[in-house]
Amino acid sequence: MTVKELKTEEFMVNMGPQHPSTHGVCKLVIKMDGEEIKEITPHVGFLHRSIEKIGENRTYAQFVPYTDRIDYVASMNANHAYVIAAEKLGGVEVPERAEYLRVIMAELNRIASHLVWLATFAIDLGAVTPFLYAFREREMILDLFEMTCGQRLTYNYMCIGGVNWDIPKEFEPKLREFLKIFPSRVDDYEDLLTNNPIFLYRTKNIGILSKETAFEYSVSGPSLRGSGVKWDIRKAESYSIYDRFDFDIPVGYNGDAWDRYRVRMREMRESAKIVQQAIDGLPGGDIQTKVPRTWKPPEGEVFTRIEAPRGEMAYHIVSDGSTKPYRMKIRTASFCNLQVLPIIGINHLIADLVAIFGSLDIILPEVDR
Amino acid sequence: MSLVRQTTNGIYNLILGLAVTVKHLFKHAITLQYPKERWTMPERSRGTVVLLSDTETGKLNCTACLMCEKACPVAAITIEREKNPETKKFEPTSFTIDMGICCYCGLCEKACNFSAIKLTGKYEMSIYDKSELIYDMDFLQKLGRDVKYEKRKRVVKKTAVKKATAKPKTTEARAESGDKKAEGTSSTKDDGDVKEKPKNETEEGKE
Ligand code: SF4
Ligand code: SF4
């Protein structure tokens, strides 16, 4: 009997819910033909905490700590998305210094988030060293956050009308020190990975996401830019004070895992550039506009969106004029980005699925909310 | 030809990566041997919640105004209070914080006008039973004994106390009358709070 005559059949494999490379609790049901993937069905919802419903039962100020938990790797950005929406709803002016501090924190958090992504992506592909280096640099950012707001992960830093804490005096020298060494550290990561033949073999032409598919599934963030679409809310629909800074939007060409990697690596450098400009131009003054403790925004609804590290994060808040929102809808990038996995993941080997999943940079609390 | 090129390129990049690793071999360790060594927590660190006492009298600063209870997003704080017949001021009879559900957001500290509640850098609070995570008033006070803090200005405190005592209300009555009444008192108190806070902080930032 030859191999061709052997009767083979497709079989199902459960990847997750507890799988180290799903970075959270996500179950992928994979139909396999030998080593090849024929179909992927993501099962989400394991981490559902009904944050939107909680938002309708908390006052506007009380909801800020919850936004930290939507995207715990980039809490500052999640805070930012919410406070911008609430401020627009209530017509609250934010002091200039607070805006600068917000941008500094949000961009530092973007770097930290990309570092976590880089570390876990590399370790998924078997490279352990970048993991340690990336976490070392992330530690410097977390130290900055900790000295400012007292927490390392769930910051609750921004509040409606400004920010909760001003930066302490040790912050600036530490930040400048970080900005000085950071570009060389990115060079180190790139030396380790970018042209490493094993890494290239694992990521080049793997999980190609075409522009059209990306549009159809409203993919956003670096995953979209990896496909060559120059779309960044910071530039396209500038919020906060991003229009004052000079930075580029890195894009890829093929939309494969390697392009998404390159986009994120270059984004880290761009973010460092923004932080540098922001700290140089940091004005003095107040950090908070007075907002009464029981704050009632007028009736109406708002929709705002920001560029979070994983893509567009948007808030739709409907207010009925009371202290709590009437309805809150949160759009998170990871949920949409996950939807393309069944399309770009098929006809690859199962080992490549880890690379594709990692390159999309999905965070499960954001998928489920 | 391209194969040769690819191979040399590959080897070059592998060595490049290896060089980075070797470079780090001679740097000192950045890890800490935890139980033997400990981080010094920054001043603003948000860990265990404690109740602060007056440094002179040793009594709790808390006036049982219930602002922190209202501000807490997860309802971790439960306060019962009683009016002291002598001073005609409210005093907490029981003050419990459920550390198991506390999310260390710091909103209670922000809400308190009397420097009575604070999040500290204490973080070693592992216990064997969940029920032990419900901290009562005495324990919270004990935790807060050695915590240094800056008391908010007396002026703010006095006016705020006047307002609080001017409208004597039991917990139930306040709860029944709904948000509106509580709002009146809270927003007036808030003014004092907000005025002071950014000032302190901007000064800190400029130094
Ligand atoms: S806000 Fe301060 S004074 Fe008022 S009950 Fe809470 S701890 Fe006591
Ligand atoms: S830190 Fe936040 S969750 Fe904890 S008791 Fe204070 S307000 Fe409640």
Side-chain angles (χ1 to χ4, degrees):
Chain A
M1 203 160 63
T2 60
V3 177
K4 273 195 181 152
E5 286 163 24
L6 271 175
K7 191 171 165 281
T8 59
E9 58 183 36
E10 290 174 343
F11 62 102
M12 306 289 253
V13 172
N14 275 321
M15 185 169 157
Q18 270 82 28
H19 190 279
S21 71
T22 54
H23 307 301
V25 205
C26 176
K27 181 171 145 188
L28 302 174
V29 180
I30 310 163
K31 195 191 253 179
M32 309 265 306
D33 180 10
E35 275 280 290
E36 217 168 81
I37 296 164
K38 288 291 164 211
E39 203 183 307
I40 306 170
T41 321
H43 287 204
V44 298
F46 292 94
L47 277 169
H48 185 67
R49 293 146 295 165
S50 44
I51 285 200
E52 288 175 6
K53 197 70 199 167
I54 291 173
E56 291 158 22
N57 290 294
R58 297 287 183 280
T59 62
Y60 286 91
Q62 277 180 342
F63 187 65
V64 182
Y66 284 94
T67 61
D68 292 334
R69 274 89 184 162
I70 292 171
D71 182 353
Y72 58 74
V73 183
S75 301
M76 289 288 185
N77 290 277
N79 278 180
H80 204 179
Y82 173 69
V83 292
I84 284 183
E87 277 154 9
K88 196 174 163 197
L89 184 65
V92 180
E93 288 279 318
V94 183
E96 182 136 312
R97 185 176 173 86
E99 289 278 25
Y100 271 83
L101 289 177
R102 280 180 181 183
V103 166
I104 291 173
M105 296 303 173
E107 288 309 312
L108 280 176
N109 211 176
R110 189 185 311 276
I111 297 174
S113 166
H114 283 353
L115 284 174
V116 173
W117 163 81
L118 172 72
T120 51
F121 183 52
I123 213 166
D124 282 349
L125 297 178
V128 185
T129 325
F131 175 84
L132 302 169
Y133 297 167
F135 267 68
R136 180 189 58 197
E137 268 71 75
R138 177 173 177 258
E139 197 65 17
M140 299 177 79
I141 299 177
L142 293 194
D143 281 345
L144 289 170
F145 288 159
E146 199 183 10
M147 74 169 72
T148 311
C149 68
Q151 282 284 30
R152 303 171 66 79
L153 210 57
T154 48
Y155 311 113
N156 185 20
Y157 180 61
M158 297 172 196
C159 62
I160 296 163
V163 294
N164 274 330
W165 292 273
D166 204 340
I167 49 173
K169 56 177 180 294
E170 322 83 90
F171 183 90
E172 208 181 308
K174 277 242 173 173
L175 176 62
R176 287 194 190 281
E177 188 195 322
F178 169 77
L179 290 171
K180 213 166 124 196
I181 63 159
F182 187 65
S184 70
R185 295 288 163 88
V186 182
D187 291 343
D188 274 3
Y189 313 143
E190 296 231 36
D191 282 351
L192 279 171
L193 287 177
T194 309
N195 287 317
N196 184 306
I198 307 165
F199 183 74
L200 281 176
Y201 191 71
R202 292 294 306 272
T203 52
K204 268 268 177 197
N205 294 326
I206 298 292
I208 296 178
L209 172 66
S210 69
K211 259 187 212 176
E212 292 72 30
T213 322
F215 286 149
E216 275 169 22
Y217 284 80
S218 51
V219 172
S220 54
S223 304
L224 173 70
R225 292 193 281 277
S227 303
V229 184
K230 209 166 181 165
W231 177 257
D232 188 319
I233 309 279
R234 285 176 294 174
K235 276 252 158 94
E237 213 175 76
S238 182
Y239 57 94
S240 196
I241 47 163
Y242 276 106
D243 47 357
R244 299 185 196 173
F245 304 117
D246 167 38
F247 62 98
D248 289 335
I249 308 171
V251 287
Y253 303 99
N254 300 326
D256 54 12
W258 193 75
D259 271 357
R260 289 192 280 276
Y261 157 83
R262 282 290 282 163
V263 166
R264 289 203 179 86
M265 294 305 271
R266 282 161 60 201
E267 248 183 52
M268 284 199 275
R269 295 180 198 267
E270 295 302 322
S271 288
K273 245 163 64 181
I274 299 176
V275 177
Q276 183 74 56
Q277 289 169 42
I279 193 78
D280 287 342
L282 183 68
D286 271 353
I287 55 153
Q288 218 176 5
T289 321
K290 258 193 253 173
V291 172
R293 203 166 283 176
T294 31
W295 182 61
K296 284 186 182 177
E299 261 178 62
E301 56 184 286
V302 282
F303 179 84
T304 54
R305 51 183 181 170
I306 69 149
E307 183 75 27
R310 267 153 272 280
E312 283 175 31
M313 181 181 262
Y315 273 82
H316 181 194
I317 304 176
V318 183
S319 156
D320 58 357
S322 70
T323 53
K324 296 164 185 174
Y326 175 73
R327 174 80 175 93
M328 183 183 285
K329 164 83 184 115
I330 308 164
R331 189 256 193 224
T332 47
S334 291
F335 182 73
C336 296
N337 293 2
L338 180 65
Q339 307 311 319
V340 293
L341 185 67
I343 294 163
I344 63 174
I346 51 170
N347 295 332
H348 283 295
L349 301 181
I350 188 152
D352 292 335
L353 183 63
V354 174
I356 299 167
F357 196 92
S359 73
L360 286 175
D361 192 14
I362 281 154
I363 177 163
L364 270 301
E366 218 192 29
V367 174
D368 297 338
R369 298 194 288 288
Chain B
M1 187 61 199
S2 92
L3 191 71
V4 175
R5 217 188 144 126
Q6 247 181 353
T7 321
T8 44
N9 228 339
I11 291 171
Y12 168 73
N13 280 299
L14 279 179
I15 291 173
L16 198 69
L18 208 61
V20 174
T21 320
V22 171
K23 202 169 76 189
H24 284 89
L25 200 64
F26 304 104
K27 290 192 178 160
H28 59 87
I30 52 161
T31 42
L32 208 72
Q33 302 301 320
Y34 164 59
K36 288 181 200 141
E37 303 166 82
R38 262 154 227 217
W39 294 115
T40 38
M41 301 302 278
E43 210 180 308
R44 296 182 188 177
S45 195
R46 289 186 355 233
T48 316
V49 187
V50 302
L51 286 179
L52 301 171
S53 327
D54 198 305
T55 33
E56 289 148 32
T57 60
K59 274 192 171 174
L60 283 179
N61 287 347
C62 179
T63 57
C65 67
L66 307 183
M67 284 327 295
C68 53
E69 197 181 357
K70 279 211 194 77
C72 182
V74 292
I77 305 176
T78 323
I79 306 170
E80 276 165 31
R81 59 177 184 176
E82 225 167 53
K83 210 173 194 186
N84 190 333
E86 282 168 31
T87 54
K88 297 247 162 65
K89 281 178 188 168
F90 278 116
E91 276 174 10
T93 51
S94 109
F95 195 117
T96 53
I97 302 181
D98 188 346
M99 282 295 158
I101 60 171
C102 171
C103 61
Y104 307 99
C105 60
L107 290 184
C108 50
E109 187 184 331
K110 203 180 155 200
C112 184
N113 285 337
F114 305 96
S115 317
I117 193 165
K118 193 178 181 333
L119 280 83
T120 59
K122 299 179 182 178
Y123 55 92
E124 284 155 322
M125 44 203 287
S126 315
I127 37 90
Y128 284 106
D129 195 274
K130 208 164 99 183
S131 63
E132 285 169 53
L133 275 177
I134 300 174
Y135 290 180
D136 61 9
M137 193 159 75
D138 294 335
F139 189 68
L140 288 167
Q141 187 173 17
K142 208 179 91 202
L143 279 177
R145 284 265 182 242
D146 57 339
V147 176
K148 286 194 195 94
Y149 67 98
E150 245 173 68
K151 210 162 184 180
R152 300 239 167 104
K153 270 179 204 156
R154 267 264 141 85
V155 196
V156 179
K157 191 180 166 181
K158 269 183 187 164
T159 52
V161 169
K162 261 181 207 163
K163 271 169 202 161
T165 47
K167 288 177 191 169
K169 259 190 186 177
T170 58
T171 327
E172 294 82 35
R174 191 186 272 258
E176 272 165 25
S177 65
D179 272 342
K180 279 193 181 152
K181 287 270 169 65
E183 213 177 274
T185 50
S186 67
S187 52
T188 43
K189 261 176 222 158
D190 206 68
D191 293 346
D193 178 28
V194 173
K195 246 179 234 161
E196 204 185 20
K197 212 174 174 190
K199 229 187 250 170
N200 284 348
E201 280 166 353
T202 41
E203 272 163 23
E204 238 176 66
K206 274 175 202 162
E207 269 168 348

